[in-house]
Amino acid sequence: GVQTCALPIFDLQRSADALWAGRYDSYRADAAAVTGHGGLDAAEVRRQLEAIRKQHFPSAADATRAAMQDANPAAPSLAAQGR
């Protein structure tokens, strides 16, 4: 029935959210190394952050999602919802 289909979809979404959170945390750790470096001008920091984002998120949709979460870190539930 309908209920037996809903649970696996929910589990898949939860797994996808957990995978995203792990990838985003890894990305943020690399990004923090750049932002905490000091000595880099703002343009160089932006350039390096963009390169790190592309490395961690080769898909344009995921890179955009990461950038949106960067801009609004107080709303992880919105970012977790995805597209």
Side-chain angles (χ1 to χ4, degrees):
V2 172
Q3 288 181 339
T4 58
C5 291
L7 187 58
I9 291 169
F10 176 76
D11 287 345
L12 285 174
Q13 183 61 50
R14 190 170 51 196
S15 295
D17 287 347
L19 181 61
W20 166 262
R23 288 175 60 209
Y24 185 77
D25 287 347
S26 176
Y27 153 72
R28 287 305 309 158
D30 286 354
V34 170
T35 57
H37 182 272
L40 298 176
D41 65 25
E44 180 62 16
V45 168
R46 281 193 304 273
R47 189 190 69 73
Q48 288 196 23
L49 290 177
E50 184 65 27
I52 290 168
R53 191 178 302 122
K54 286 180 181 176
Q55 176 186 349
H56 282 269
F57 305 107
S59 136
D62 284 349
T64 299
R65 181 178 175 190
M68 288 173 53
Q69 191 162 341
D70 287 348
N72 194 9
S77 61
L78 294 176
Q81 291 174 9
R83 310 162 224 298

